[in-house]
Amino acid sequence: MVTAAATALLGMAGLAITVTSAEAAVGPRPNFQLPFPCDQVWNGDNDNSSAHRAYEIDFNRGSSAGADLGDTVVAAAAGKVVTSAHQGSANGFGNLVKIDHGGGWSTYYAHLKVRSVAAGAQVAQGQKIGEVGNTSKPGNNISPHLHYEVRTNDASWPDNIKPAYFNGVKFGYPNANVTSKNTCGGNGNPNPYDAVEVCGDGYKVIDSQALGTAATTYLLYNGTNKNNCVTTIKATSVGAASAVSAFLEVEGAARKSDSGSFEYYAGPVSAAAGAKCVRWGGSAGSSSYESPLEHCG
């Protein structure tokens, strides 16, 4: 429940956005991909701008200053467009698209030549949202590039700017070339989450079972806290609510489960399981799996 509101100055030169003092906890990081079409190679630069305060990245790939003007920019992950506007003299962003990915995560795409989506639109990962440009505030002459940021809602600017990850790999700050894997599988709406992101840092996948083509259920283990975790990640009807479940049963303890009509995944279901066997599994639609007691100790 929202109990109070505060205004935080966000963005270069103070983009004002209202946030609440009772923000929800930040959820698992979405499976962000490079914000460009599949197989394109872009150079990201973090330290060659006096405007950068944290983990922002400027992207170019051409050999000349204007070579990238008009190149396609796509959504790094599925979500809802909450800002699509020219920021005018308010800040240096120029044409800005901001996407809310849920769980307290959002991405910013600035200096666009063209904005291809409107505020309120739902976008799929890999969907075109604009074109590389050089729009900014009056008098700020910049060469074409994409300014990209990942932010969370659990802190004030610039502490809410987080390191960028692409295809599960942290960007090689301060400068690196990255090859896009965005929708390379041909799926126009892939699941933006993976098992490790759902269960959290420190977990590793130790087993999995496909549920037909509808989903895959995963068993993960955290060697530090000796916890197991189960999640079922949807592969079809992604982004649309449908029946899916995940469960974990530690030998000698009651079964824990999460089931319902979910858009992306069921779980995470976790429990301490050091030196104990576990039974795990899940379902999606009419497909289900239940393991024997296994992975003991």
Side-chain angles (χ1 to χ4, degrees):
M1 178 182 296
V2 177
T3 57
T7 299
L9 291 179
L10 303 176
M12 296 180 295
L15 173 61
I17 299 178
T18 299
V19 298
T20 69
S21 60
E23 297 284 12
V26 173
R29 184 182 63 249
N31 185 25
F32 292 122
Q33 299 292 334
L34 200 71
F36 301 105
C38 176
D39 287 337
Q40 290 187 359
V41 180
W42 287 77
N43 176 260
D45 187 285
N46 168 258
D47 62 350
N48 194 28
S49 172
S50 60
H52 289 180
R53 298 291 299 275
Y55 295 106
E56 304 101 319
I57 304 172
D58 288 345
F59 281 108
N60 284 103
R61 64 170 179 160
S63 57
S64 63
D68 308 321
L69 183 65
D71 279 8
T72 294
V73 177
V74 303
K80 181 179 180 180
V81 178
V82 294
T83 300
S84 179
H86 194 295
Q87 297 296 320
S89 59
N91 53 64
F93 280 143
N95 273 323
L96 172 70
V97 170
K98 175 188 174 183
I99 301 175
D100 181 354
H101 304 286
W105 294 86
S106 59
T107 49
Y108 287 62
Y109 312 78
H111 307 313
L112 298 172
K113 175 185 177 183
V114 173
R115 292 175 282 109
S116 304
V117 290
Q122 293 286 341
V123 296
Q125 187 175 57
Q127 179 177 333
K128 181 176 180 180
I129 60 170
E131 298 176 2
V132 174
N134 60 345
T135 57
S136 187
K137 62 184 178 181
N140 190 16
N141 297 317
I142 59 175
S143 60
H145 68 277
L146 176 69
H147 177 93
Y148 175 83
E149 298 182 18
V150 177
R151 298 190 188 183
T152 55
N153 65 0
D154 60 341
S156 298
W157 182 84
D159 293 334
N160 62 340
I161 305 174
K162 304 303 181 184
Y165 281 72
F166 303 113
N167 202 37
V169 178
K170 184 178 179 180
F171 178 73
Y173 289 95
N175 302 285
N177 290 324
V178 184
T179 301
S180 177
K181 300 300 180 184
N182 203 325
T183 61
C184 287
N187 183 355
N189 189 23
N191 200 314
Y193 300 95
D194 63 31
V196 172
E197 290 171 331
V198 172
C199 286
D201 292 340
Y203 282 92
K204 293 184 178 180
V205 174
I206 59 173
D207 208 343
S208 64
Q209 177 65 44
L211 303 174
T213 59
T216 299
T217 187
Y218 295 89
L219 174 67
L220 298 87
Y221 183 69
N222 187 317
T224 299
N225 59 23
K226 310 301 182 184
N227 279 4
N228 280 49
C229 178
V230 177
T231 180
T232 299
I233 308 292
K234 294 174 60 176
T236 60
S237 300
V238 176
S242 62
V244 63
S245 71
F247 76 85
L248 173 63
E249 179 182 327
V250 179
E251 185 176 15
R255 176 174 296 191
K256 301 175 66 175
S257 63
D258 180 44
S259 63
S261 188
F262 302 127
E263 295 180 352
Y264 298 99
Y265 58 84
V269 181
S270 59
K276 294 284 185 75
C277 301
V278 296
R279 183 178 282 115
W280 61 282
S283 66
S286 61
S287 299
S288 62
Y289 172 74
E290 180 171 320
S291 78
L293 280 171
E294 59 184 4
H295 298 292
C296 307

